[in-house]
Amino acid sequence: MSDQQQLWDNYAACWSADPAIRLAALGAVAVDDVTYRDPGTEVGSLAELDAYMDGFARGVPRTPLPHRRGP
């Protein structure tokens, strides 16, 4: 598996990670001032992204984010 694929897999796993470890997991794949945008929100830090992911997970509990694997 390529480093880029591993990074993506680790990021995608953050969306369904235990809240107690999510911020640390995000820190392993993104910089502190990361920017995330989707049609409903914009965040500008790891802490804000962690909070957004927490809200997402509460709305869709125990549902891992699907992501494409491989080419």
Side-chain angles (χ1 to χ4, degrees):
M1 177 182 308
S2 71
D3 289 345
Q4 186 177 28
Q5 184 65 50
Q6 186 64 55
L7 182 64
W8 173 254
D9 288 349
N10 292 348
Y11 164 76
C14 290
W15 284 89
S16 55
D18 182 314
I21 64 161
R22 185 184 299 114
L23 187 56
L26 281 169
V29 298
V31 295
D32 288 336
D33 62 347
V34 64
T35 300
Y36 171 86
R37 294 181 183 102
D38 68 25
T41 196
E42 180 175 335
V43 301
S45 71
L46 282 178
E48 289 177 5
L49 182 55
D50 177 43
Y52 180 71
M53 287 179 169
D54 186 58
F56 178 86
R58 289 174 191 268
V60 188
R62 300 178 194 234
T63 304
L65 180 71
H67 61 280
R68 191 178 122 197
R69 207 167 213 183

